[in-house]
Amino acid sequence: QQQQQQQQQQQQQQQQQQQQENGADGAIDSNKGLFTLPELILRVQASEKEVLRAIQQMHAVCIGGYFRVLESTFRQEVCNMVLRSVDQLGGNLSSIPFRDLCASMPEYSREAVLFAVHCFEHQYYDPSRSPTVALDGRRISKFLARHLLAQHPEKQWACGEFMDKWAAACPATVTPLPDDLLGLALKSTKNNEESLRFFPVDALPSDPPQRFRALFAAKKCWTLGEITPYLIDLEPSTGSSVEQLLLRFARGNTQADGMRVYYSRAAIR
């Protein structure tokens, strides 16, 4: 019995030590089932650039050399907390002491804070090389727009209403711009009134024919400026430019005003 008690105490000590190493947020458990970058490259048989792009799209974070994907609710939570902390630290996006940022969020691990920083950073930030980090106002603007749209995914927003709520959510130093909604929201006009709804590119199929079917099912006619944000992510995997993809999967037409627009090659049934 005494031996069993000693084993239980040892197990508890190991668990406590692991929790301390993992951080206060409790989002990190063990390295079981996780992979390093070289292991990922070997397993998926892709280039390092392609793997890193996929890791970024999956919102994965590297902790102790191993990549893991944070749960979506937790990602949203820690990103919101970073923005609040930045505001409390003075709101200067160009020079934020990373140590102070971590200290203002003691309930989150350093790795979780760094993950949020990577979501908003102006350029790649390495804490070992610089004590301060610069955040990108455009990335913050897009994050907050997505958060607002995702809360009401089926809602058809009046553009004025959405812009007002979006501006109110942004830090004082960040001004939301219409271009921040490209690839995120679909605009339409009815009775001379503009509206928009949540339509993120990352929710669309990655297969080009299926992607075009989804795009033309959502909207019959697209300008080049409107459709490009919904196609540019296909360039690396297909080896084709946006213009080449349009030539293959869409039908172009030049309107009387000189505007080039694109339609489906086949009727959507």
Side-chain angles (χ1 to χ4, degrees):
Q1 184 177 2
Q2 184 177 2
Q3 186 177 3
Q4 290 179 347
Q5 289 178 349
Q6 289 177 348
Q7 289 177 346
Q8 289 177 354
Q9 289 177 353
Q10 289 177 352
Q11 290 176 353
Q12 289 176 354
Q13 289 175 354
Q14 290 175 352
Q15 290 175 353
Q16 290 175 356
Q17 184 179 0
Q18 188 176 30
Q19 288 174 355
Q20 290 174 354
E21 292 174 352
N22 289 339
D25 50 58
I28 306 162
D29 39 34
S30 71
N31 293 331
K32 185 178 180 180
L34 303 177
F35 303 96
T36 64
L37 180 59
E39 289 172 341
L40 286 172
I41 294 173
L42 183 63
R43 279 178 169 264
V44 301
Q45 296 184 350
S47 69
E48 181 176 337
K49 185 176 181 180
E50 290 171 331
V51 171
L52 288 173
R53 185 185 300 114
I55 286 172
Q56 185 179 27
Q57 292 173 347
M58 293 174 65
H59 305 289
V61 58
C62 183
I63 300 174
Y66 291 85
F67 284 93
R68 66 196 78 211
V69 178
L70 300 180
E71 194 271 330
S72 59
T73 303
F74 180 76
R75 292 201 308 266
Q76 186 76 41
E77 177 186 317
V78 71
C79 285
N80 281 326
M81 284 302 301
V82 162
L83 292 181
R84 293 177 189 173
S85 296
V86 168
D87 188 53
Q88 292 172 357
L89 292 171
N92 181 9
L93 299 181
S94 62
S95 182
I96 304 162
F98 182 67
R99 180 179 294 181
D100 292 350
L101 189 59
C102 291
S104 68
M105 301 171 58
E107 66 273 32
Y108 298 96
S109 69
R110 180 179 181 275
E111 290 82 4
V113 177
L114 185 59
F115 165 81
V117 165
H118 287 325
C119 290
F120 301 132
E121 63 195 357
H122 180 68
Q123 58 184 7
Y124 183 79
Y125 174 67
D126 184 349
S128 66
R129 295 186 177 183
S130 174
T132 61
V133 59
L135 301 186
D136 188 339
R138 300 276 55 82
R139 298 182 74 173
I140 293 173
S141 173
K142 292 176 183 178
F143 170 83
L144 293 171
R146 185 187 185 96
H147 179 55
L148 184 58
L149 288 165
Q151 287 181 317
H152 309 280
E154 304 300 325
K155 181 174 180 178
Q156 193 77 25
W157 291 82
C159 282
E161 176 193 6
F162 179 80
M163 292 299 294
D164 288 344
K165 287 186 177 293
W166 186 18
C170 287
T173 53
V174 175
T175 301
L177 300 175
D179 282 355
D180 295 339
L181 296 176
L182 295 175
L184 188 60
L186 188 62
K187 289 186 177 182
S188 59
T189 303
K190 186 176 181 180
N191 298 327
N192 293 325
E193 293 186 2
E194 286 191 332
S195 62
L196 58 86
R197 65 180 177 88
F198 191 38
F199 194 67
V201 62
D202 54 21
L204 299 177
S206 57
D207 176 64
Q210 294 182 22
R211 173 73 63 89
F212 275 90
R213 280 195 289 270
L215 289 173
F216 288 118
K219 187 176 181 179
K220 293 182 179 180
C221 176
W222 295 76
T223 66
L224 180 60
E226 291 171 337
I227 204 169
T228 294
Y230 289 100
L231 299 177
I232 199 166
D233 65 306
L234 297 179
E235 288 186 338
S237 60
T238 61
S240 301
S241 66
V242 169
E243 290 74 13
Q244 290 171 328
L245 289 168
L246 287 169
L247 283 172
R248 183 178 177 185
F249 296 106
R251 176 170 53 88
N253 183 44
T254 303
Q255 296 180 323
D257 59 2
M259 175 73 72
R260 185 75 172 171
V261 294
Y262 296 89
Y263 302 88
S264 172
R265 282 191 173 274
I268 300 293
R269 296 181 181 179

